[in-house]
Amino acid sequence: MVTPVGFDDARTNVDPKAAALRQRERAGIGYVYVALVLAFVTAVPALFAREVFGDDWTVYYIYWTQGAAGVARVLWESAHAGFAIPMTLFVTLLNDTPDVSARLAGLACHLVNGVLLHSVLSRSSYTRRIADLVTALFLLSPFYAIRLTLNAVYDFFLLFYLLSYELSYSKVRALRWSAPFCLLFALSLETLIALEPVRVVLAWSGPERWRQKLARLVPFWLAVAATIVLRLTILGKSGHYAGQYSFANDFSIIANALYAHLMAFPSGLSYAYSHGVALLGLPVSAAVTLATIAVFARFSSTALWTPWLLNGRSTTNAMLLLLVLGAAIALIGALPYALTGVYGDVTRGESRLLFPSQFGVLILIATVVQAIPGSRVRAAVAGGLVAIFALSSAHDSKWLLYDGLLSSDMLRQVRAALLADPEPKVVKLQFENSHVFSFRSRCLGGNDMNVAQTILRDENRERSFIYTDYCGDFTDPHFVVNGNCPVSYLETFPCPPRRETWRYRAAPGIPRPDDIGFIELLTATLGNNSSATEGRGELMQLKDGEPAPVARAEYRPPCNRPGVRGAAWLLALPAPACEGAASGVR
């Protein structure tokens, strides 16, 4: 074989150190690939859940009864006008299977965001060192479960936020000019402002002169300023939401809320560990975690390599900058909520308030892990975190499936019992061990209990209402205690004078979450029920504290009524769940 002239010379003149550096920069991408696969696999079961969360019910109810214009009006009044675009898109795409389109879109956006986040962090010499691990932790983070609900809009807006970085480096002028507008739209979720320190670090680490760096940042700062001004003026809360989340006047309330928000990480890590272990049991979970640690340590010099951040003065200074960056994002992300006395709580289904600040926490985690000497030790610690986060994410998917199975069973039976008695009433429902069965210990409020009942009710009968005894509807002076029965908290009716108390418990027909397997759970979720009046759990009326059977009846509303098909799907009503024109509308 003849070697071209100069080929050997060119090959031998390659700088070995430069080649090794390029190889090292490519190493570590395995973290991203592993996390992408795990994020997809652990979230897929949740796509089949028959489940809607609290305020999400309001969006569906308004859409079904007032259309897209009603959704836009409500979200404008709640100071989330931009949310109307993705939420209307979600409910329009798969109107008969509510929340499924949101979960599909949320998962897709989440995976794309992982790729974009890695690309963004790889643009700076400061953040490039932790880009792989931060991306992996972001993709599997158990500190918020929003992409499993209609609040997948958070990942939707994050997509446009990250695009504002990517487009600003485009070679096409029109795309560069569109970047600040992407940011302006992304800041429909205003708290994404907390991530702006990343933009400053990226700009300041570039080769341009300081004036050019400022010129690069100014359009984005103008977008941030415009968002703040709009939020405090024409996009402020109005109507039903006027005065909601006003600033707290007591400093102790602010300090306690800020502390609780920032302490969400250690409590979230404990939460992820305990629920991750619960998924497979301690022996199996421990074996999976140890096996993951061993695999990560084995490939710590190739695809799962991470640089040591204390390797000389320059890297130490970079590490200090990363610590300041992470702390700044965590603090800025928590402060707006703390000023109103509100904080994120990982144990709630609506853990979305942690969304911005947890980016800072993930940067801090990656920085601390990569300050550990020894590549095998660093990889082992990272592998342990990935295993715990992945097990927790899988448990969330299973729990959401379980919650949907349980709530659809309960709501189906409640509907049949309300239909059996034509006299209107207000029912207090005692839900035994609700914290064990409900996803992230969420409470079932008036939205959860009454929206589907209202959509599917027999319009020839007066309205009845049902509320759980642990969500505050019977103690809040604005609601039942004052004679106002809400359906979606935006629409209330006079409460009927009659009162009853019912009790629902899952046993013995529905096993506890840890006693039912994934396959059995998925089969039960997707299967058709044979009856619209019976169920797996036990629904009884309490008379003088003693349980008594409640009568059941069935009614099939007209199929052309808005929301009927979606509500029937969520309650897992057997087909046909409604009366079509061909069979005579009732």
Short mmCIF file of all heavy atoms in Angstrom, two decimals, residues 143-185:
data_model
loop_
_atom_site.label_atom_id
_atom_site.label_comp_id
_atom_site.label_asym_id
_atom_site.label_seq_id
_atom_site.Cartn_x
_atom_site.Cartn_y
_atom_site.Cartn_z
N PHE A 143 -36.74 16.48 41.80
CA PHE A 143 -37.21 17.56 42.64
C PHE A 143 -38.45 18.25 42.11
O PHE A 143 -39.00 19.14 42.73
CB PHE A 143 -36.09 18.58 42.87
CG PHE A 143 -34.85 17.94 43.42
CD1 PHE A 143 -33.67 17.96 42.72
CD2 PHE A 143 -34.89 17.28 44.64
CE1 PHE A 143 -32.54 17.35 43.22
CE2 PHE A 143 -33.77 16.66 45.15
CZ PHE A 143 -32.59 16.70 44.44
N TYR A 144 -38.87 17.89 40.92
CA TYR A 144 -40.15 18.39 40.42
C TYR A 144 -40.68 17.35 39.44
O TYR A 144 -39.93 16.73 38.70
CB TYR A 144 -40.00 19.74 39.73
CG TYR A 144 -38.82 19.88 38.81
CD1 TYR A 144 -38.87 19.43 37.49
CD2 TYR A 144 -37.63 20.44 39.27
CE1 TYR A 144 -37.78 19.54 36.66
CE2 TYR A 144 -36.54 20.54 38.43
CZ TYR A 144 -36.62 20.11 37.13
OH TYR A 144 -35.52 20.20 36.31
N ALA A 145 -41.98 17.16 39.45
CA ALA A 145 -42.60 16.15 38.59
C ALA A 145 -43.52 16.82 37.58
O ALA A 145 -44.50 16.25 37.13
CB ALA A 145 -43.39 15.16 39.42
N ILE A 146 -43.18 18.05 37.20
CA ILE A 146 -44.11 18.85 36.41
C ILE A 146 -44.35 18.30 35.01
O ILE A 146 -45.41 18.52 34.46
CB ILE A 146 -43.60 20.30 36.31
CG1 ILE A 146 -42.19 20.30 35.77
CG2 ILE A 146 -43.66 21.00 37.64
CD1 ILE A 146 -41.64 21.67 35.51
N ARG A 147 -43.35 17.63 34.44
CA ARG A 147 -43.56 17.17 33.06
C ARG A 147 -44.57 16.02 33.00
O ARG A 147 -44.94 15.57 31.92
CB ARG A 147 -42.24 16.75 32.43
CG ARG A 147 -41.59 15.53 33.06
CD ARG A 147 -40.25 15.24 32.41
NE ARG A 147 -39.59 14.10 33.00
CZ ARG A 147 -38.85 14.16 34.10
NH1 ARG A 147 -38.70 15.29 34.74
NH2 ARG A 147 -38.25 13.07 34.57
N LEU A 148 -45.02 15.56 34.16
CA LEU A 148 -46.04 14.51 34.20
C LEU A 148 -47.44 15.09 34.34
O LEU A 148 -48.41 14.35 34.50
CB LEU A 148 -45.75 13.55 35.36
CG LEU A 148 -44.38 12.88 35.34
CD1 LEU A 148 -44.21 11.98 36.55
CD2 LEU A 148 -44.17 12.10 34.06
N THR A 149 -47.58 16.42 34.31
CA THR A 149 -48.87 17.07 34.47
C THR A 149 -49.03 18.14 33.39
O THR A 149 -48.15 18.33 32.56
CB THR A 149 -48.98 17.73 35.86
OG1 THR A 149 -48.14 18.89 35.89
CG2 THR A 149 -48.57 16.77 36.96
N LEU A 150 -50.15 18.87 33.47
CA LEU A 150 -50.34 19.97 32.52
C LEU A 150 -49.28 21.04 32.70
O LEU A 150 -49.04 21.84 31.79
CB LEU A 150 -51.74 20.57 32.70
CG LEU A 150 -52.22 21.58 31.65
CD1 LEU A 150 -52.20 20.96 30.26
CD2 LEU A 150 -53.60 22.09 31.99
N ASN A 151 -48.62 21.08 33.85
CA ASN A 151 -47.54 22.03 34.06
C ASN A 151 -46.26 21.64 33.31
O ASN A 151 -45.18 22.15 33.60
CB ASN A 151 -47.25 22.18 35.55
CG ASN A 151 -48.28 23.08 36.21
OD1 ASN A 151 -48.40 24.25 35.88
ND2 ASN A 151 -49.06 22.51 37.11
N ALA A 152 -46.40 20.76 32.34
CA ALA A 152 -45.33 20.53 31.38
C ALA A 152 -45.01 21.81 30.63
O ALA A 152 -43.99 21.89 29.93
CB ALA A 152 -45.74 19.44 30.38
N VAL A 153 -45.85 22.84 30.78
CA VAL A 153 -45.56 24.14 30.17
C VAL A 153 -44.23 24.68 30.68
O VAL A 153 -43.59 25.49 30.00
CB VAL A 153 -46.68 25.17 30.44
CG1 VAL A 153 -47.96 24.77 29.74
CG2 VAL A 153 -46.92 25.33 31.93
N TYR A 154 -43.78 24.26 31.85
CA TYR A 154 -42.49 24.74 32.36
C TYR A 154 -41.36 24.29 31.45
O TYR A 154 -40.48 25.08 31.11
CB TYR A 154 -42.28 24.23 33.79
CG TYR A 154 -43.00 25.03 34.84
CD1 TYR A 154 -44.34 25.36 34.69
CD2 TYR A 154 -42.35 25.46 35.99
CE1 TYR A 154 -45.01 26.09 35.65
CE2 TYR A 154 -43.02 26.19 36.96
CZ TYR A 154 -44.35 26.50 36.78
OH TYR A 154 -45.01 27.23 37.74
N ASP A 155 -41.37 23.03 31.07
CA ASP A 155 -40.35 22.55 30.13
C ASP A 155 -40.54 23.18 28.75
O ASP A 155 -39.58 23.38 28.01
CB ASP A 155 -40.40 21.02 30.02
CG ASP A 155 -39.40 20.35 30.95
OD1 ASP A 155 -38.23 20.72 30.90
OD2 ASP A 155 -39.81 19.48 31.74
N PHE A 156 -41.79 23.48 28.40
CA PHE A 156 -42.08 24.14 27.12
C PHE A 156 -41.41 25.51 27.07
O PHE A 156 -40.74 25.86 26.09
CB PHE A 156 -43.60 24.28 26.97
CG PHE A 156 -44.05 24.99 25.73
CD1 PHE A 156 -44.20 24.32 24.54
CD2 PHE A 156 -44.34 26.35 25.76
CE1 PHE A 156 -44.62 24.97 23.39
CE2 PHE A 156 -44.77 27.02 24.62
CZ PHE A 156 -44.91 26.33 23.43
N PHE A 157 -41.54 26.29 28.13
CA PHE A 157 -40.93 27.62 28.15
C PHE A 157 -39.43 27.54 28.32
O PHE A 157 -38.68 28.38 27.79
CB PHE A 157 -41.55 28.48 29.26
CG PHE A 157 -42.95 28.93 28.95
CD1 PHE A 157 -44.00 28.58 29.77
CD2 PHE A 157 -43.21 29.68 27.81
CE1 PHE A 157 -45.30 28.99 29.48
CE2 PHE A 157 -44.51 30.09 27.51
CZ PHE A 157 -45.55 29.75 28.34
N LEU A 158 -38.95 26.53 29.04
CA LEU A 158 -37.50 26.35 29.16
C LEU A 158 -36.88 26.08 27.79
O LEU A 158 -35.75 26.52 27.52
CB LEU A 158 -37.19 25.20 30.11
CG LEU A 158 -35.70 24.89 30.30
CD1 LEU A 158 -34.97 26.08 30.90
CD2 LEU A 158 -35.52 23.65 31.16
N LEU A 159 -37.60 25.39 26.92
CA LEU A 159 -37.11 25.15 25.57
C LEU A 159 -36.81 26.46 24.86
O LEU A 159 -35.75 26.63 24.25
CB LEU A 159 -38.14 24.32 24.79
CG LEU A 159 -37.85 24.07 23.31
CD1 LEU A 159 -36.58 23.26 23.13
CD2 LEU A 159 -39.02 23.36 22.65
N PHE A 160 -37.73 27.41 24.93
CA PHE A 160 -37.51 28.70 24.28
C PHE A 160 -36.42 29.50 24.99
O PHE A 160 -35.69 30.26 24.36
CB PHE A 160 -38.82 29.49 24.22
CG PHE A 160 -39.76 29.00 23.17
CD1 PHE A 160 -40.67 27.99 23.45
CD2 PHE A 160 -39.73 29.52 21.88
CE1 PHE A 160 -41.53 27.52 22.47
CE2 PHE A 160 -40.58 29.05 20.90
CZ PHE A 160 -41.49 28.04 21.20
N TYR A 161 -36.33 29.32 26.31
CA TYR A 161 -35.27 30.01 27.04
C TYR A 161 -33.89 29.54 26.55
O TYR A 161 -33.00 30.36 26.29
CB TYR A 161 -35.42 29.77 28.54
CG TYR A 161 -34.36 30.49 29.34
CD1 TYR A 161 -34.52 31.82 29.69
CD2 TYR A 161 -33.19 29.84 29.73
CE1 TYR A 161 -33.54 32.50 30.41
CE2 TYR A 161 -32.21 30.50 30.44
CZ TYR A 161 -32.39 31.83 30.78
OH TYR A 161 -31.41 32.49 31.47
N LEU A 162 -33.70 28.24 26.44
CA LEU A 162 -32.42 27.71 25.98
C LEU A 162 -32.16 28.05 24.52
O LEU A 162 -31.01 28.25 24.11
CB LEU A 162 -32.38 26.20 26.20
CG LEU A 162 -32.40 25.76 27.67
CD1 LEU A 162 -32.49 24.23 27.77
CD2 LEU A 162 -31.17 26.26 28.42
N LEU A 163 -33.24 28.14 23.73
CA LEU A 163 -33.07 28.57 22.34
C LEU A 163 -32.54 29.99 22.26
O LEU A 163 -31.84 30.35 21.31
CB LEU A 163 -34.41 28.46 21.59
CG LEU A 163 -34.81 27.07 21.10
CD1 LEU A 163 -36.20 27.12 20.47
CD2 LEU A 163 -33.80 26.52 20.10
N SER A 164 -32.89 30.83 23.24
CA SER A 164 -32.38 32.20 23.22
C SER A 164 -30.86 32.23 23.33
O SER A 164 -30.21 33.17 22.85
CB SER A 164 -33.01 33.02 24.35
OG SER A 164 -32.48 32.67 25.62
N TYR A 165 -30.26 31.22 23.95
CA TYR A 165 -28.81 31.08 23.98
C TYR A 165 -28.29 30.59 22.63
O TYR A 165 -27.37 31.17 22.05
CB TYR A 165 -28.39 30.09 25.06
CG TYR A 165 -28.49 30.59 26.48
CD1 TYR A 165 -29.68 30.48 27.18
CD2 TYR A 165 -27.40 31.14 27.13
CE1 TYR A 165 -29.78 30.93 28.49
CE2 TYR A 165 -27.48 31.59 28.43
CZ TYR A 165 -28.68 31.48 29.11
OH TYR A 165 -28.77 31.91 30.40
N GLU A 166 -28.89 29.51 22.16
CA GLU A 166 -28.40 28.88 20.94
C GLU A 166 -28.49 29.83 19.74
O GLU A 166 -27.56 29.94 18.95
CB GLU A 166 -29.19 27.60 20.66
CG GLU A 166 -28.85 26.45 21.59
CD GLU A 166 -27.45 25.94 21.40
OE1 GLU A 166 -27.19 25.27 20.39
OE2 GLU A 166 -26.59 26.24 22.25
N LEU A 167 -29.62 30.50 19.62
CA LEU A 167 -29.81 31.38 18.47
C LEU A 167 -28.90 32.60 18.51
O LEU A 167 -28.56 33.17 17.46
CB LEU A 167 -31.28 31.83 18.39
CG LEU A 167 -32.30 30.72 18.14
CD1 LEU A 167 -33.71 31.29 18.13
CD2 LEU A 167 -32.01 30.00 16.83
N SER A 168 -28.50 33.02 19.69
CA SER A 168 -27.63 34.19 19.79
C SER A 168 -26.25 33.93 19.21
O SER A 168 -25.50 34.87 18.94
CB SER A 168 -27.51 34.64 21.25
OG SER A 168 -26.85 33.66 22.03
N TYR A 169 -25.89 32.65 19.02
CA TYR A 169 -24.60 32.30 18.44
C TYR A 169 -24.72 31.86 16.98
O TYR A 169 -23.75 31.39 16.39
CB TYR A 169 -23.95 31.18 19.25
CG TYR A 169 -23.55 31.59 20.65
CD1 TYR A 169 -24.38 31.33 21.73
CD2 TYR A 169 -22.35 32.26 20.89
CE1 TYR A 169 -24.03 31.72 23.02
CE2 TYR A 169 -21.99 32.65 22.18
CZ TYR A 169 -22.83 32.38 23.23
OH TYR A 169 -22.48 32.77 24.50
N SER A 170 -25.92 32.00 16.42
CA SER A 170 -26.13 31.56 15.04
C SER A 170 -25.37 32.45 14.05
O SER A 170 -25.14 33.63 14.30
CB SER A 170 -27.63 31.60 14.72
OG SER A 170 -27.86 31.32 13.36
N LYS A 171 -25.00 31.86 12.94
CA LYS A 171 -24.34 32.62 11.87
C LYS A 171 -25.34 33.40 11.02
O LYS A 171 -24.96 34.24 10.22
CB LYS A 171 -23.53 31.67 10.99
CG LYS A 171 -22.38 30.99 11.71
CD LYS A 171 -21.60 30.07 10.78
CE LYS A 171 -20.45 29.39 11.52
NZ LYS A 171 -19.68 28.48 10.63
N VAL A 172 -26.63 33.10 11.19
CA VAL A 172 -27.68 33.79 10.44
C VAL A 172 -28.18 34.97 11.27
O VAL A 172 -28.63 34.81 12.40
CB VAL A 172 -28.86 32.83 10.14
CG1 VAL A 172 -29.94 33.54 9.33
CG2 VAL A 172 -28.35 31.60 9.39
N ARG A 173 -28.11 36.17 10.70
CA ARG A 173 -28.45 37.38 11.44
C ARG A 173 -29.89 37.36 11.93
O ARG A 173 -30.18 37.74 13.07
CB ARG A 173 -28.21 38.61 10.57
CG ARG A 173 -28.58 39.91 11.26
CD ARG A 173 -28.32 41.11 10.38
NE ARG A 173 -26.90 41.24 10.08
CZ ARG A 173 -26.39 42.21 9.32
NH1 ARG A 173 -27.21 43.10 8.76
NH2 ARG A 173 -25.10 42.29 9.09
N ALA A 174 -30.81 36.89 11.10
CA ALA A 174 -32.22 36.89 11.49
C ALA A 174 -32.45 36.02 12.72
O ALA A 174 -33.24 36.36 13.60
CB ALA A 174 -33.08 36.40 10.33
N LEU A 175 -31.72 34.90 12.79
CA LEU A 175 -31.86 34.03 13.96
C LEU A 175 -31.26 34.67 15.20
O LEU A 175 -31.79 34.54 16.31
CB LEU A 175 -31.20 32.68 13.68
CG LEU A 175 -31.87 31.82 12.60
CD1 LEU A 175 -31.09 30.52 12.40
CD2 LEU A 175 -33.31 31.52 12.96
N ARG A 176 -30.13 35.39 15.02
CA ARG A 176 -29.54 36.08 16.16
C ARG A 176 -30.50 37.15 16.70
O ARG A 176 -30.64 37.33 17.90
CB ARG A 176 -28.21 36.72 15.77
CG ARG A 176 -27.09 35.74 15.49
CD ARG A 176 -25.73 36.40 15.55
NE ARG A 176 -25.61 37.52 14.63
CZ ARG A 176 -25.23 37.42 13.36
NH1 ARG A 176 -24.90 36.23 12.87
NH2 ARG A 176 -25.13 38.49 12.59
N TRP A 177 -31.17 37.86 15.80
CA TRP A 177 -32.11 38.89 16.22
C TRP A 177 -33.35 38.30 16.89
O TRP A 177 -34.01 38.96 17.70
CB TRP A 177 -32.52 39.75 15.03
CG TRP A 177 -31.54 40.83 14.72
CD1 TRP A 177 -30.57 40.83 13.77
CD2 TRP A 177 -31.40 42.09 15.41
NE1 TRP A 177 -29.84 41.99 13.79
CE2 TRP A 177 -30.33 42.79 14.79
CE3 TRP A 177 -32.06 42.69 16.47
CZ2 TRP A 177 -29.92 44.05 15.21
CZ3 TRP A 177 -31.66 43.94 16.90
CH2 TRP A 177 -30.60 44.61 16.26
N SER A 178 -33.66 37.05 16.55
CA SER A 178 -34.85 36.43 17.15
C SER A 178 -34.59 35.93 18.57
O SER A 178 -35.53 35.66 19.31
CB SER A 178 -35.33 35.26 16.28
OG SER A 178 -34.40 34.18 16.32
N ALA A 179 -33.32 35.82 18.97
CA ALA A 179 -32.98 35.27 20.28
C ALA A 179 -33.61 36.06 21.43
O ALA A 179 -34.19 35.45 22.34
CB ALA A 179 -31.46 35.19 20.44
N PRO A 180 -33.53 37.41 21.47
CA PRO A 180 -34.17 38.13 22.58
C PRO A 180 -35.69 37.95 22.61
O PRO A 180 -36.29 37.96 23.69
CB PRO A 180 -33.79 39.60 22.32
CG PRO A 180 -32.58 39.54 21.45
CD PRO A 180 -32.77 38.32 20.61
N PHE A 181 -36.30 37.77 21.45
CA PHE A 181 -37.75 37.56 21.42
C PHE A 181 -38.09 36.17 21.96
O PHE A 181 -39.14 35.97 22.57
CB PHE A 181 -38.27 37.75 20.00
CG PHE A 181 -38.15 39.17 19.51
CD1 PHE A 181 -37.09 39.55 18.70
CD2 PHE A 181 -39.08 40.12 19.88
CE1 PHE A 181 -36.97 40.86 18.25
CE2 PHE A 181 -38.98 41.43 19.44
CZ PHE A 181 -37.91 41.80 18.63
N CYS A 182 -37.20 35.19 21.71
CA CYS A 182 -37.39 33.86 22.33
C CYS A 182 -37.34 33.99 23.85
O CYS A 182 -38.14 33.37 24.56
CB CYS A 182 -36.29 32.90 21.86
SG CYS A 182 -36.64 32.09 20.29
N LEU A 183 -36.41 34.81 24.34
CA LEU A 183 -36.31 35.01 25.78
C LEU A 183 -37.57 35.68 26.31
O LEU A 183 -38.11 35.28 27.35
CB LEU A 183 -35.08 35.86 26.12
CG LEU A 183 -34.94 36.25 27.59
CD1 LEU A 183 -34.77 35.01 28.46
CD2 LEU A 183 -33.78 37.21 27.79
N LEU A 184 -38.06 36.69 25.61
CA LEU A 184 -39.25 37.41 26.05
C LEU A 184 -40.45 36.47 26.16
O LEU A 184 -41.21 36.53 27.13
CB LEU A 184 -39.57 38.55 25.09
CG LEU A 184 -40.70 39.50 25.50
CD1 LEU A 184 -40.36 40.22 26.79
CD2 LEU A 184 -40.98 40.50 24.39
N PHE A 185 -40.61 35.57 25.18
CA PHE A 185 -41.70 34.60 25.25
C PHE A 185 -41.46 33.59 26.37
O PHE A 185 -42.38 33.24 27.11
CB PHE A 185 -41.84 33.88 23.91
CG PHE A 185 -42.90 32.81 23.90
CD1 PHE A 185 -44.22 33.13 24.08
CD2 PHE A 185 -42.56 31.48 23.73
CE1 PHE A 185 -45.21 32.15 24.09
CE2 PHE A 185 -43.53 30.49 23.74
CZ PHE A 185 -44.86 30.84 23.92
#
